[in-house]
Amino acid sequence: MLPYVIINVAMSLNGKISSLEGRYSISNSIDMERVMSIRKNVDAVLLGANTVIIDNPVLNFANKRIILDEKLRLNSNYNIFDGKIKTYIFSKNNNKTINNAEIIILNDLSIKNILKKIYDMGIKKILVEGGANVINQFIKEKIFNEFYIFVNPGLILNGVSLFNNNEIKFNYKVSMEGIGILLNINDIYIRL
C-alpha cells in the first residue's frame, strides 16, 4: 500500500519554482493559507535535500517531516532539524548522525519503495512540497492523488524549472488565488 499523495508547488509564470540567486518567495498570503491548511491535514510533509539546502524551510504546521537525501549531504544546522517535529531522512548513506532526525537507510530509494516504507511507518497521507527533482519523480511514476500548482504572474529569469521533461502534458482546473492562479492537475500524460 502507498500513502495518499498531495503534490503542491508554486511557480512563476515562466515555469520556475526557485531562483538560482537564492530564496525567492513565489506564493502569496492567500496561497500560503491554503498550503498551511493542507499541512495540518496530512501526516507528513516530504521534500528533497536540495530544497532544504536552498530554502532552509521550517515547515510550520507539519505533523512530521520527511527528507529525501540519498547521499546524506545535510547537517544539523538547518531549521528543519529544530527538534519540534519528528523528522525522518531517507538515505543510502549512514556515515553520520543528524541531531533531531531519524535516518532511515534504504538500498532502493525509488519513490514507490520510499512510499511503501512510509506507509508501513503509519504515515497514510503526505504532502510533497519539492523540489523539482522530487516532484518529477512522482510525475514520472504517476503517483499522486491531488496535484496543485500555484502560478505567480511574475517571472524568474534564472531559476529551476518545475517540469524537466518537455513531453509532459496535463489536464487541469483553474481558479484564482488573489493575483495568482491555482492549477488543480487532474491527469498527466508523458510521451515516452
Side-chain angles (χ1 to χ4, degrees), residues 155-169:
L155 300 174
I156 298 175
L157 299 179
N158 191 12
V160 177
S161 295
L162 173 57
F163 298 111
N164 60 18
N165 181 340
N166 292 331
E167 301 300 320
I168 296 174
K169 307 290 182 217

Side-chain angles (χ1 to χ4, degrees), residues 32-44:
M32 286 307 300
E33 286 179 29
R34 183 186 60 79
V35 174
M36 295 305 143
S37 177
I38 295 172
R39 283 183 187 168
K40 291 176 187 177
N41 290 296
V42 297
D43 299 321

Side-chain angles (χ1 to χ4, degrees), residues 35-183:
V35 174
M36 295 305 143
S37 177
I38 295 172
R39 283 183 187 168
K40 291 176 187 177
N41 290 296
V42 297
D43 299 321
V45 174
L46 182 147
L47 52 135
N50 284 340
T51 300
V52 174
I53 291 167
I54 293 167
D55 291 344
N56 195 16
V58 177
L59 297 182
N60 292 328
F61 304 108
N63 292 307
K64 292 182 176 90
R65 299 177 283 210
I66 299 168
I67 313 301
L68 307 184
D69 187 3
E70 180 178 351
K71 297 175 184 170
L72 203 56
R73 297 176 295 147
L74 299 176
N75 60 53
S76 301
N77 296 326
Y78 291 97
N79 291 332
I80 209 155
F81 305 119
D82 58 11
K84 296 177 183 174
I85 299 168
K86 183 73 176 174
T87 303
Y88 302 97
I89 300 172
F90 282 80
S91 184
K92 284 186 176 181
N93 198 333
N94 193 17
N95 65 354
K96 63 181 168 183
T97 59
I98 295 178
N99 294 338
N100 301 314
E102 181 179 332
I103 299 171
I104 299 170
I105 304 301
L106 294 176
N107 290 327
D108 177 3
L109 284 177
S110 67
I111 290 299
K112 279 188 181 175
N113 196 47
I114 291 168
L115 290 176
K116 286 177 186 174
K117 178 66 175 175
I118 289 169
Y119 190 88
D120 291 344
M121 293 166 55
I123 298 171
K124 308 298 184 205
K125 190 173 187 180
I126 65 167
L127 171 61
V128 178
E129 287 199 33
N133 181 43
V134 171
I135 291 171
N136 276 282
Q137 289 178 59
F138 279 87
I139 291 170
K140 182 179 177 188
E141 297 296 325
K142 289 187 162 190
I143 300 176
F144 62 89
N145 301 92
E146 298 179 47
F147 193 151
Y148 300 96
I149 302 173
F150 175 80
V151 182
N152 180 306
L155 300 174
I156 298 175
L157 299 179
N158 191 12
V160 177
S161 295
L162 173 57
F163 298 111
N164 60 18
N165 181 340
N166 292 331
E167 301 300 320
I168 296 174
K169 307 290 182 217
F170 49 90
N171 290 330
Y172 56 91
K173 294 178 186 172
V174 179
S175 62
M176 293 300 295
E177 298 287 331
I179 63 166
I181 300 166
L182 182 65
L183 304 179

Side-chain angles (χ1 to χ4, degrees), residues 4-23:
Y4 189 93
V5 175
I6 302 169
I7 299 174
N8 187 80
V9 64
M11 75 177 186
S12 65
L13 191 59
N14 60 332
K16 307 295 184 187
I17 63 169
S18 66
S19 170
L20 295 180
E21 277 75 47
R23 189 174 172 99

